[in-house]
Amino acid sequence: MSEQNPQQSTVLADDVAPMSPVPTDPLWVERNGTRTYTGFSGRGARVEIGPASAGAVFTPGELLKIALAACGGMSADSKFSRVLGDDFELTIRVSGPKHETEDRYPEIHETFEIDLSSLDDAAREKTLVLAQRSIDRACTVGNTLKAGAVVPPVEYVQPSAETEGAFAEEI
């Protein structure tokens, strides 16, 4: 009988990552200056947004790509930690050229850089299958993009005393 890495035996479970509850915290952006904004969540998170020429900011397209990569990583995380331990390293590179005349990304490519050399071939294959199943089931960003989310026209409203600054007070 051959020795087996104890972590490899845990790869047999064919479960997928649970879907996350839908957050109800408000999200908004506030203008800082010409084409620069700060994005906020009701939980106190913030991100600087603007054109690449503005320096240390994310462009909206970069945020879309990073959201996809992070969503995939979060969805597959439990599959990898089950076989590699909680301290595994993972870098997800995300890219995709912009279609300049249509102002969109026709394709977004993700590459997971992860060391699976401690696993035998069968365990490695099973882990990758389960990770992909988890991503396909639980990655909200990927599922939204694949389904072609409907984006209705923007609604324009006059600020009111009730809404002006209301989100900022919640942080």
Side-chain angles (χ1 to χ4, degrees), residues 18-72:
M19 289 188 276
S20 298
V22 177
T24 56
D25 299 308
L27 300 172
W28 71 99
V29 297
E30 294 178 2
R31 185 175 188 271
N32 300 320
T34 304
R35 298 190 69 223
T36 60
Y37 291 78
T38 300
F40 297 93
S41 82
R43 294 179 310 281
R46 59 187 302 144
V47 62
E48 301 303 318
I49 307 161
S53 61
V57 299
F58 287 104
T59 69
E62 289 169 336
L63 287 173
L64 174 73
K65 292 177 186 178
I66 287 172
L68 179 64
C71 190

mmCIF file of all heavy atoms in Angstrom, residues 18-72:
data_model
loop_
_atom_site.group_PDB
_atom_site.id
_atom_site.type_symbol
_atom_site.label_atom_id
_atom_site.label_comp_id
_atom_site.label_asym_id
_atom_site.label_seq_id
_atom_site.Cartn_x
_atom_site.Cartn_y
_atom_site.Cartn_z
ATOM 1 N N PRO A 18 -20.246 27.443 -1.195
ATOM 2 C CA PRO A 18 -21.607 27.968 -1.025
ATOM 3 C C PRO A 18 -21.693 29.365 -1.616
ATOM 4 O O PRO A 18 -20.713 30.102 -1.651
ATOM 5 C CB PRO A 18 -21.784 28.009 0.493
ATOM 6 C CG PRO A 18 -20.395 28.112 1.024
ATOM 7 C CD PRO A 18 -19.510 27.374 0.048
ATOM 8 N N MET A 19 -22.864 29.708 -2.082
ATOM 9 C CA MET A 19 -23.061 31.064 -2.578
ATOM 10 C C MET A 19 -23.111 32.007 -1.389
ATOM 11 O O MET A 19 -23.658 31.666 -0.340
ATOM 12 C CB MET A 19 -24.330 31.153 -3.406
ATOM 13 C CG MET A 19 -24.194 30.446 -4.736
ATOM 14 S SD MET A 19 -25.584 30.738 -5.821
ATOM 15 C CE MET A 19 -26.710 29.505 -5.238
ATOM 16 N N SER A 20 -22.517 33.171 -1.545
ATOM 17 C CA SER A 20 -22.496 34.161 -0.476
ATOM 18 C C SER A 20 -23.845 34.846 -0.371
ATOM 19 O O SER A 20 -24.530 35.026 -1.375
ATOM 20 C CB SER A 20 -21.431 35.224 -0.758
ATOM 21 O OG SER A 20 -20.165 34.640 -0.810
ATOM 22 N N PRO A 21 -24.202 35.257 0.849
ATOM 23 C CA PRO A 21 -25.443 36.030 0.978
ATOM 24 C C PRO A 21 -25.306 37.355 0.235
ATOM 25 O O PRO A 21 -24.218 37.884 0.074
ATOM 26 C CB PRO A 21 -25.582 36.251 2.483
ATOM 27 C CG PRO A 21 -24.247 35.961 3.059
ATOM 28 C CD PRO A 21 -23.510 35.069 2.100
ATOM 29 N N VAL A 22 -26.412 37.865 -0.208
ATOM 30 C CA VAL A 22 -26.406 39.125 -0.943
ATOM 31 C C VAL A 22 -26.220 40.271 0.041
ATOM 32 O O VAL A 22 -27.015 40.450 0.958
ATOM 33 C CB VAL A 22 -27.735 39.312 -1.714
ATOM 34 C CG1 VAL A 22 -27.763 40.640 -2.427
ATOM 35 C CG2 VAL A 22 -27.945 38.170 -2.685
ATOM 36 N N PRO A 23 -25.127 41.041 -0.123
ATOM 37 C CA PRO A 23 -24.952 42.179 0.784
ATOM 38 C C PRO A 23 -26.014 43.239 0.517
ATOM 39 O O PRO A 23 -26.411 43.447 -0.620
ATOM 40 C CB PRO A 23 -23.556 42.707 0.464
ATOM 41 C CG PRO A 23 -23.135 42.055 -0.801
ATOM 42 C CD PRO A 23 -24.059 40.909 -1.083
ATOM 43 N N THR A 24 -26.461 43.875 1.570
ATOM 44 C CA THR A 24 -27.470 44.927 1.421
ATOM 45 C C THR A 24 -26.898 46.292 1.758
ATOM 46 O O THR A 24 -27.631 47.270 1.786
ATOM 47 C CB THR A 24 -28.682 44.641 2.323
ATOM 48 O OG1 THR A 24 -28.221 44.513 3.670
ATOM 49 C CG2 THR A 24 -29.397 43.368 1.899
ATOM 50 N N ASP A 25 -25.600 46.331 2.033
ATOM 51 C CA ASP A 25 -24.976 47.610 2.351
ATOM 52 C C ASP A 25 -25.004 48.518 1.125
ATOM 53 O O ASP A 25 -24.816 48.060 0.005
ATOM 54 C CB ASP A 25 -23.518 47.400 2.773
ATOM 55 C CG ASP A 25 -23.409 46.541 4.011
ATOM 56 O OD1 ASP A 25 -24.075 46.869 5.007
ATOM 57 O OD2 ASP A 25 -22.675 45.544 3.984
ATOM 58 N N PRO A 26 -25.229 49.803 1.340
ATOM 59 C CA PRO A 26 -25.246 50.725 0.198
ATOM 60 C C PRO A 26 -23.865 50.852 -0.437
ATOM 61 O O PRO A 26 -22.840 50.703 0.232
ATOM 62 C CB PRO A 26 -25.690 52.054 0.816
ATOM 63 C CG PRO A 26 -25.395 51.935 2.269
ATOM 64 C CD PRO A 26 -25.463 50.482 2.607
ATOM 65 N N LEU A 27 -23.857 51.101 -1.725
ATOM 66 C CA LEU A 27 -22.640 51.371 -2.498
ATOM 67 C C LEU A 27 -22.849 52.679 -3.238
ATOM 68 O O LEU A 27 -23.942 52.949 -3.739
ATOM 69 C CB LEU A 27 -22.397 50.261 -3.526
ATOM 70 C CG LEU A 27 -22.208 48.855 -2.990
ATOM 71 C CD1 LEU A 27 -22.179 47.863 -4.151
ATOM 72 C CD2 LEU A 27 -20.941 48.757 -2.171
ATOM 73 N N TRP A 28 -21.812 53.492 -3.287
ATOM 74 C CA TRP A 28 -21.924 54.750 -4.029
ATOM 75 C C TRP A 28 -20.541 55.272 -4.365
ATOM 76 O O TRP A 28 -19.542 54.803 -3.828
ATOM 77 C CB TRP A 28 -22.720 55.791 -3.238
ATOM 78 C CG TRP A 28 -22.024 56.361 -2.032
ATOM 79 C CD1 TRP A 28 -21.354 57.555 -1.947
ATOM 80 C CD2 TRP A 28 -21.925 55.775 -0.720
ATOM 81 N NE1 TRP A 28 -20.858 57.753 -0.683
ATOM 82 C CE2 TRP A 28 -21.197 56.668 0.098
ATOM 83 C CE3 TRP A 28 -22.368 54.586 -0.151
ATOM 84 C CZ2 TRP A 28 -20.901 56.406 1.433
ATOM 85 C CZ3 TRP A 28 -22.083 54.327 1.180
ATOM 86 C CH2 TRP A 28 -21.359 55.235 1.953
ATOM 87 N N VAL A 29 -20.487 56.209 -5.308
ATOM 88 C CA VAL A 29 -19.254 56.918 -5.640
ATOM 89 C C VAL A 29 -19.507 58.407 -5.488
ATOM 90 O O VAL A 29 -20.621 58.884 -5.675
ATOM 91 C CB VAL A 29 -18.732 56.602 -7.069
ATOM 92 C CG1 VAL A 29 -18.379 55.138 -7.211
ATOM 93 C CG2 VAL A 29 -19.705 57.014 -8.138
ATOM 94 N N GLU A 30 -18.456 59.105 -5.106
ATOM 95 C CA GLU A 30 -18.522 60.565 -4.990
ATOM 96 C C GLU A 30 -17.414 61.164 -5.833
ATOM 97 O O GLU A 30 -16.282 60.674 -5.836
ATOM 98 C CB GLU A 30 -18.352 60.987 -3.529
ATOM 99 C CG GLU A 30 -19.502 60.546 -2.647
ATOM 100 C CD GLU A 30 -19.305 60.917 -1.179
ATOM 101 O OE1 GLU A 30 -18.289 61.560 -0.834
ATOM 102 O OE2 GLU A 30 -20.181 60.550 -0.373
ATOM 103 N N ARG A 31 -17.757 62.226 -6.517
ATOM 104 C CA ARG A 31 -16.802 62.916 -7.382
ATOM 105 C C ARG A 31 -15.809 63.692 -6.538
ATOM 106 O O ARG A 31 -16.164 64.408 -5.612
ATOM 107 C CB ARG A 31 -17.555 63.877 -8.314
ATOM 108 C CG ARG A 31 -16.681 64.558 -9.328
ATOM 109 C CD ARG A 31 -17.538 65.395 -10.293
ATOM 110 N NE ARG A 31 -16.758 65.914 -11.386
ATOM 111 C CZ ARG A 31 -16.110 67.078 -11.366
ATOM 112 N NH1 ARG A 31 -16.171 67.852 -10.290
ATOM 113 N NH2 ARG A 31 -15.415 67.477 -12.415
ATOM 114 N N ASN A 32 -14.500 63.548 -6.886
ATOM 115 C CA ASN A 32 -13.420 64.286 -6.219
ATOM 116 C C ASN A 32 -12.910 65.442 -7.065
ATOM 117 O O ASN A 32 -12.387 66.409 -6.548
ATOM 118 C CB ASN A 32 -12.226 63.365 -5.931
ATOM 119 C CG ASN A 32 -12.596 62.209 -5.052
ATOM 120 O OD1 ASN A 32 -13.356 62.355 -4.115
ATOM 121 N ND2 ASN A 32 -12.063 61.036 -5.360
ATOM 122 N N GLY A 33 -12.995 65.279 -8.362
ATOM 123 C CA GLY A 33 -12.457 66.264 -9.298
ATOM 124 C C GLY A 33 -12.737 65.762 -10.704
ATOM 125 O O GLY A 33 -13.501 64.815 -10.899
ATOM 126 N N THR A 34 -12.091 66.351 -11.671
ATOM 127 C CA THR A 34 -12.320 65.973 -13.057
ATOM 128 C C THR A 34 -12.035 64.493 -13.272
ATOM 129 O O THR A 34 -10.900 64.044 -13.088
ATOM 130 C CB THR A 34 -11.424 66.814 -13.994
ATOM 131 O OG1 THR A 34 -11.678 68.198 -13.750
ATOM 132 C CG2 THR A 34 -11.687 66.475 -15.451
ATOM 133 N N ARG A 35 -13.084 63.724 -13.564
ATOM 134 C CA ARG A 35 -13.021 62.290 -13.867
ATOM 135 C C ARG A 35 -12.392 61.455 -12.754
ATOM 136 O O ARG A 35 -11.909 60.369 -12.993
ATOM 137 C CB ARG A 35 -12.284 62.048 -15.185
ATOM 138 C CG ARG A 35 -12.990 62.704 -16.373
ATOM 139 C CD ARG A 35 -12.423 62.277 -17.717
ATOM 140 N NE ARG A 35 -12.771 60.865 -17.950
ATOM 141 C CZ ARG A 35 -11.922 59.979 -18.448
ATOM 142 N NH1 ARG A 35 -10.698 60.318 -18.775
ATOM 143 N NH2 ARG A 35 -12.299 58.734 -18.644
ATOM 144 N N THR A 36 -12.379 61.941 -11.531
ATOM 145 C CA THR A 36 -11.877 61.144 -10.405
ATOM 146 C C THR A 36 -12.965 61.018 -9.346
ATOM 147 O O THR A 36 -13.672 61.983 -9.039
ATOM 148 C CB THR A 36 -10.601 61.748 -9.777
ATOM 149 O OG1 THR A 36 -10.874 63.063 -9.303
ATOM 150 C CG2 THR A 36 -9.455 61.777 -10.779
ATOM 151 N N TYR A 37 -13.078 59.812 -8.800
ATOM 152 C CA TYR A 37 -14.134 59.475 -7.850
ATOM 153 C C TYR A 37 -13.574 58.595 -6.744
ATOM 154 O O TYR A 37 -12.523 57.970 -6.899
ATOM 155 C CB TYR A 37 -15.269 58.720 -8.564
ATOM 156 C CG TYR A 37 -16.043 59.588 -9.524
ATOM 157 C CD1 TYR A 37 -15.543 59.906 -10.782
ATOM 158 C CD2 TYR A 37 -17.271 60.113 -9.159
ATOM 159 C CE1 TYR A 37 -16.249 60.717 -11.651
ATOM 160 C CE2 TYR A 37 -17.990 60.929 -10.030
ATOM 161 C CZ TYR A 37 -17.472 61.226 -11.269
ATOM 162 O OH TYR A 37 -18.175 62.035 -12.127
ATOM 163 N N THR A 38 -14.269 58.549 -5.645
ATOM 164 C CA THR A 38 -13.998 57.572 -4.603
ATOM 165 C C THR A 38 -15.241 56.721 -4.463
ATOM 166 O O THR A 38 -16.355 57.243 -4.370
ATOM 167 C CB THR A 38 -13.673 58.252 -3.256
ATOM 168 O OG1 THR A 38 -12.514 59.080 -3.427
ATOM 169 C CG2 THR A 38 -13.390 57.218 -2.175
ATOM 170 N N GLY A 39 -15.050 55.402 -4.487
ATOM 171 C CA GLY A 39 -16.153 54.470 -4.288
ATOM 172 C C GLY A 39 -16.221 54.075 -2.829
ATOM 173 O O GLY A 39 -15.187 53.926 -2.171
ATOM 174 N N PHE A 40 -17.432 53.918 -2.318
ATOM 175 C CA PHE A 40 -17.648 53.599 -0.901
ATOM 176 C C PHE A 40 -18.612 52.431 -0.752
ATOM 177 O O PHE A 40 -19.481 52.223 -1.596
ATOM 178 C CB PHE A 40 -18.279 54.799 -0.166
ATOM 179 C CG PHE A 40 -17.429 56.020 -0.133
ATOM 180 C CD1 PHE A 40 -17.566 56.989 -1.121
ATOM 181 C CD2 PHE A 40 -16.509 56.221 0.892
ATOM 182 C CE1 PHE A 40 -16.800 58.138 -1.092
ATOM 183 C CE2 PHE A 40 -15.738 57.375 0.920
ATOM 184 C CZ PHE A 40 -15.880 58.337 -0.063
ATOM 185 N N SER A 41 -18.461 51.720 0.360
ATOM 186 C CA SER A 41 -19.475 50.750 0.776
ATOM 187 C C SER A 41 -19.950 51.152 2.158
ATOM 188 O O SER A 41 -19.227 51.818 2.905
ATOM 189 C CB SER A 41 -18.910 49.327 0.817
ATOM 190 O OG SER A 41 -18.212 49.091 2.013
ATOM 191 N N GLY A 42 -21.141 50.733 2.508
ATOM 192 C CA GLY A 42 -21.681 51.014 3.826
ATOM 193 C C GLY A 42 -20.880 50.362 4.938
ATOM 194 O O GLY A 42 -21.045 50.703 6.107
ATOM 195 N N ARG A 43 -19.984 49.423 4.589
ATOM 196 C CA ARG A 43 -19.129 48.768 5.590
ATOM 197 C C ARG A 43 -17.837 49.544 5.841
ATOM 198 O O ARG A 43 -17.009 49.119 6.618
ATOM 199 C CB ARG A 43 -18.810 47.343 5.134
ATOM 200 C CG ARG A 43 -20.020 46.437 5.092
ATOM 201 C CD ARG A 43 -19.679 45.026 4.621
ATOM 202 N NE ARG A 43 -18.911 44.969 3.383
ATOM 203 C CZ ARG A 43 -19.421 45.112 2.166
ATOM 204 N NH1 ARG A 43 -20.711 45.334 2.005
ATOM 205 N NH2 ARG A 43 -18.656 45.028 1.103
ATOM 206 N N GLY A 44 -17.661 50.660 5.140
ATOM 207 C CA GLY A 44 -16.482 51.492 5.374
ATOM 208 C C GLY A 44 -15.350 51.295 4.378
ATOM 209 O O GLY A 44 -14.307 51.928 4.502
ATOM 210 N N ALA A 45 -15.531 50.444 3.383
ATOM 211 C CA ALA A 45 -14.491 50.252 2.371
ATOM 212 C C ALA A 45 -14.506 51.431 1.403
ATOM 213 O O ALA A 45 -15.536 52.069 1.193
ATOM 214 C CB ALA A 45 -14.726 48.949 1.613
ATOM 215 N N ARG A 46 -13.340 51.691 0.822
ATOM 216 C CA ARG A 46 -13.252 52.763 -0.165
ATOM 217 C C ARG A 46 -12.205 52.412 -1.211
ATOM 218 O O ARG A 46 -11.258 51.684 -0.927
ATOM 219 C CB ARG A 46 -12.954 54.102 0.507
ATOM 220 C CG ARG A 46 -11.675 54.153 1.291
ATOM 221 C CD ARG A 46 -11.463 55.426 2.092
ATOM 222 N NE ARG A 46 -11.475 56.593 1.263
ATOM 223 C CZ ARG A 46 -11.976 57.768 1.626
ATOM 224 N NH1 ARG A 46 -12.471 57.934 2.821
ATOM 225 N NH2 ARG A 46 -11.965 58.786 0.809
ATOM 226 N N VAL A 47 -12.388 52.936 -2.412
ATOM 227 C CA VAL A 47 -11.458 52.701 -3.507
ATOM 228 C C VAL A 47 -11.404 53.962 -4.362
ATOM 229 O O VAL A 47 -12.426 54.599 -4.610
ATOM 230 C CB VAL A 47 -11.864 51.452 -4.331
ATOM 231 C CG1 VAL A 47 -13.217 51.620 -4.974
ATOM 232 C CG2 VAL A 47 -10.811 51.104 -5.367
ATOM 233 N N GLU A 48 -10.206 54.315 -4.777
ATOM 234 C CA GLU A 48 -10.010 55.500 -5.620
ATOM 235 C C GLU A 48 -10.124 55.100 -7.087
ATOM 236 O O GLU A 48 -9.503 54.136 -7.530
ATOM 237 C CB GLU A 48 -8.651 56.135 -5.337
ATOM 238 C CG GLU A 48 -8.450 56.563 -3.882
ATOM 239 C CD GLU A 48 -9.511 57.532 -3.370
ATOM 240 O OE1 GLU A 48 -9.885 58.453 -4.125
ATOM 241 O OE2 GLU A 48 -9.964 57.352 -2.227
ATOM 242 N N ILE A 49 -10.904 55.875 -7.839
ATOM 243 C CA ILE A 49 -11.232 55.535 -9.223
ATOM 244 C C ILE A 49 -10.977 56.749 -10.113
ATOM 245 O O ILE A 49 -11.317 57.877 -9.740
ATOM 246 C CB ILE A 49 -12.712 55.135 -9.340
ATOM 247 C CG1 ILE A 49 -13.055 54.040 -8.325
ATOM 248 C CG2 ILE A 49 -13.049 54.685 -10.765
ATOM 249 C CD1 ILE A 49 -14.534 53.903 -8.051
ATOM 250 N N GLY A 50 -10.413 56.495 -11.278
ATOM 251 C CA GLY A 50 -10.189 57.572 -12.228
ATOM 252 C C GLY A 50 -9.473 57.053 -13.454
ATOM 253 O O GLY A 50 -9.236 55.850 -13.593
ATOM 254 N N PRO A 51 -9.078 57.953 -14.353
ATOM 255 C CA PRO A 51 -8.332 57.524 -15.533
ATOM 256 C C PRO A 51 -6.900 57.157 -15.139
ATOM 257 O O PRO A 51 -6.391 57.608 -14.106
ATOM 258 C CB PRO A 51 -8.366 58.764 -16.436
ATOM 259 C CG PRO A 51 -8.474 59.917 -15.479
ATOM 260 C CD PRO A 51 -9.302 59.399 -14.327
ATOM 261 N N ALA A 52 -6.257 56.339 -15.932
ATOM 262 C CA ALA A 52 -4.877 55.923 -15.644
ATOM 263 C C ALA A 52 -3.961 57.129 -15.461
ATOM 264 O O ALA A 52 -3.033 57.099 -14.644
ATOM 265 C CB ALA A 52 -4.360 55.021 -16.765
ATOM 266 N N SER A 53 -4.236 58.205 -16.160
ATOM 267 C CA SER A 53 -3.404 59.407 -16.058
ATOM 268 C C SER A 53 -3.483 60.067 -14.681
ATOM 269 O O SER A 53 -2.649 60.895 -14.342
ATOM 270 C CB SER A 53 -3.800 60.416 -17.137
ATOM 271 O OG SER A 53 -5.160 60.794 -16.970
ATOM 272 N N ALA A 54 -4.465 59.687 -13.862
ATOM 273 C CA ALA A 54 -4.618 60.282 -12.526
ATOM 274 C C ALA A 54 -3.664 59.674 -11.500
ATOM 275 O O ALA A 54 -3.617 60.125 -10.365
ATOM 276 C CB ALA A 54 -6.062 60.150 -12.048
ATOM 277 N N GLY A 55 -2.924 58.649 -11.888
ATOM 278 C CA GLY A 55 -1.935 58.076 -10.966
ATOM 279 C C GLY A 55 -2.448 56.871 -10.211
ATOM 280 O O GLY A 55 -2.965 55.928 -10.797
ATOM 281 N N ALA A 56 -2.338 56.894 -8.891
ATOM 282 C CA ALA A 56 -2.630 55.734 -8.028
ATOM 283 C C ALA A 56 -4.135 55.543 -7.832
ATOM 284 O O ALA A 56 -4.661 55.687 -6.731
ATOM 285 C CB ALA A 56 -1.922 55.875 -6.695
ATOM 286 N N VAL A 57 -4.806 55.252 -8.919
ATOM 287 C CA VAL A 57 -6.246 54.989 -8.909
ATOM 288 C C VAL A 57 -6.495 53.752 -9.773
ATOM 289 O O VAL A 57 -5.646 53.367 -10.572
ATOM 290 C CB VAL A 57 -7.065 56.171 -9.473
ATOM 291 C CG1 VAL A 57 -6.876 57.434 -8.648
ATOM 292 C CG2 VAL A 57 -6.721 56.434 -10.935
ATOM 293 N N PHE A 58 -7.645 53.138 -9.602
ATOM 294 C CA PHE A 58 -8.081 52.076 -10.495
ATOM 295 C C PHE A 58 -9.008 52.688 -11.526
ATOM 296 O O PHE A 58 -9.850 53.523 -11.194
ATOM 297 C CB PHE A 58 -8.864 50.996 -9.743
ATOM 298 C CG PHE A 58 -8.005 50.124 -8.881
ATOM 299 C CD1 PHE A 58 -7.987 50.299 -7.508
ATOM 300 C CD2 PHE A 58 -7.228 49.113 -9.432
ATOM 301 C CE1 PHE A 58 -7.202 49.490 -6.707
ATOM 302 C CE2 PHE A 58 -6.445 48.304 -8.642
ATOM 303 C CZ PHE A 58 -6.435 48.489 -7.272
ATOM 304 N N THR A 59 -8.872 52.255 -12.774
ATOM 305 C CA THR A 59 -9.862 52.636 -13.769
ATOM 306 C C THR A 59 -11.087 51.741 -13.549
ATOM 307 O O THR A 59 -10.966 50.650 -12.962
ATOM 308 C CB THR A 59 -9.346 52.445 -15.212
ATOM 309 O OG1 THR A 59 -9.211 51.040 -15.477
ATOM 310 C CG2 THR A 59 -8.017 53.175 -15.450
ATOM 311 N N PRO A 60 -12.256 52.149 -14.004
ATOM 312 C CA PRO A 60 -13.419 51.275 -13.870
ATOM 313 C C PRO A 60 -13.207 49.906 -14.516
ATOM 314 O O PRO A 60 -13.617 48.880 -13.975
ATOM 315 C CB PRO A 60 -14.536 52.058 -14.552
ATOM 316 C CG PRO A 60 -14.140 53.495 -14.345
ATOM 317 C CD PRO A 60 -12.631 53.484 -14.506
ATOM 318 N N GLY A 61 -12.545 49.865 -15.671
ATOM 319 C CA GLY A 61 -12.271 48.584 -16.328
ATOM 320 C C GLY A 61 -11.349 47.703 -15.499
ATOM 321 O O GLY A 61 -11.525 46.481 -15.437
ATOM 322 N N GLU A 62 -10.359 48.306 -14.864
ATOM 323 C CA GLU A 62 -9.477 47.532 -13.982
ATOM 324 C C GLU A 62 -10.255 46.959 -12.804
ATOM 325 O O GLU A 62 -10.043 45.811 -12.396
ATOM 326 C CB GLU A 62 -8.329 48.401 -13.476
ATOM 327 C CG GLU A 62 -7.319 48.749 -14.552
ATOM 328 C CD GLU A 62 -6.329 49.824 -14.120
ATOM 329 O OE1 GLU A 62 -6.635 50.630 -13.209
ATOM 330 O OE2 GLU A 62 -5.233 49.868 -14.720
ATOM 331 N N LEU A 63 -11.173 47.753 -12.251
ATOM 332 C CA LEU A 63 -11.993 47.256 -11.144
ATOM 333 C C LEU A 63 -12.847 46.069 -11.581
ATOM 334 O O LEU A 63 -13.019 45.108 -10.833
ATOM 335 C CB LEU A 63 -12.884 48.363 -10.591
ATOM 336 C CG LEU A 63 -12.176 49.431 -9.773
ATOM 337 C CD1 LEU A 63 -13.144 50.559 -9.420
ATOM 338 C CD2 LEU A 63 -11.568 48.837 -8.511
ATOM 339 N N LEU A 64 -13.384 46.122 -12.791
ATOM 340 C CA LEU A 64 -14.161 45.001 -13.320
ATOM 341 C C LEU A 64 -13.296 43.747 -13.383
ATOM 342 O O LEU A 64 -13.704 42.669 -12.927
ATOM 343 C CB LEU A 64 -14.709 45.348 -14.705
ATOM 344 C CG LEU A 64 -15.427 44.226 -15.440
ATOM 345 C CD1 LEU A 64 -16.787 43.967 -14.813
ATOM 346 C CD2 LEU A 64 -15.574 44.574 -16.909
ATOM 347 N N LYS A 65 -12.103 43.875 -13.938
ATOM 348 C CA LYS A 65 -11.206 42.724 -14.061
ATOM 349 C C LYS A 65 -10.775 42.200 -12.689
ATOM 350 O O LYS A 65 -10.753 40.984 -12.449
ATOM 351 C CB LYS A 65 -9.973 43.102 -14.888
ATOM 352 C CG LYS A 65 -10.271 43.369 -16.345
ATOM 353 C CD LYS A 65 -9.002 43.814 -17.051
ATOM 354 C CE LYS A 65 -9.243 44.239 -18.466
ATOM 355 N NZ LYS A 65 -8.004 44.707 -19.112
ATOM 356 N N ILE A 66 -10.426 43.100 -11.785
ATOM 357 C CA ILE A 66 -10.019 42.685 -10.441
ATOM 358 C C ILE A 66 -11.179 42.025 -9.705
ATOM 359 O O ILE A 66 -11.000 41.040 -8.983
ATOM 360 C CB ILE A 66 -9.452 43.886 -9.658
ATOM 361 C CG1 ILE A 66 -8.077 44.241 -10.209
ATOM 362 C CG2 ILE A 66 -9.364 43.591 -8.164
ATOM 363 C CD1 ILE A 66 -7.515 45.521 -9.647
ATOM 364 N N ALA A 67 -12.377 42.544 -9.895
ATOM 365 C CA ALA A 67 -13.552 41.935 -9.258
ATOM 366 C C ALA A 67 -13.730 40.499 -9.752
ATOM 367 O O ALA A 67 -14.019 39.598 -8.955
ATOM 368 C CB ALA A 67 -14.802 42.764 -9.542
ATOM 369 N N LEU A 68 -13.547 40.270 -11.026
ATOM 370 C CA LEU A 68 -13.667 38.922 -11.574
ATOM 371 C C LEU A 68 -12.608 37.997 -10.986
ATOM 372 O O LEU A 68 -12.903 36.883 -10.552
ATOM 373 C CB LEU A 68 -13.570 38.949 -13.101
ATOM 374 C CG LEU A 68 -13.650 37.583 -13.785
ATOM 375 C CD1 LEU A 68 -15.014 36.936 -13.542
ATOM 376 C CD2 LEU A 68 -13.367 37.734 -15.271
ATOM 377 N N ALA A 69 -11.361 38.458 -10.946
ATOM 378 C CA ALA A 69 -10.269 37.642 -10.413
ATOM 379 C C ALA A 69 -10.483 37.332 -8.931
ATOM 380 O O ALA A 69 -10.338 36.189 -8.491
ATOM 381 C CB ALA A 69 -8.932 38.352 -10.625
ATOM 382 N N ALA A 70 -10.837 38.335 -8.155
ATOM 383 C CA ALA A 70 -11.053 38.125 -6.720
ATOM 384 C C ALA A 70 -12.234 37.201 -6.480
ATOM 385 O O ALA A 70 -12.194 36.337 -5.584
ATOM 386 C CB ALA A 70 -11.270 39.467 -6.021
ATOM 387 N N CYS A 71 -13.276 37.338 -7.261
ATOM 388 C CA CYS A 71 -14.460 36.491 -7.115
ATOM 389 C C CYS A 71 -14.102 35.031 -7.399
ATOM 390 O O CYS A 71 -14.509 34.127 -6.661
ATOM 391 C CB CYS A 71 -15.551 36.984 -8.063
ATOM 392 S SG CYS A 71 -17.163 36.232 -7.796
ATOM 393 N N GLY A 72 -13.341 34.792 -8.447
ATOM 394 C CA GLY A 72 -12.906 33.432 -8.749
ATOM 395 C C GLY A 72 -12.038 32.863 -7.641
ATOM 396 O O GLY A 72 -12.208 31.717 -7.219
#
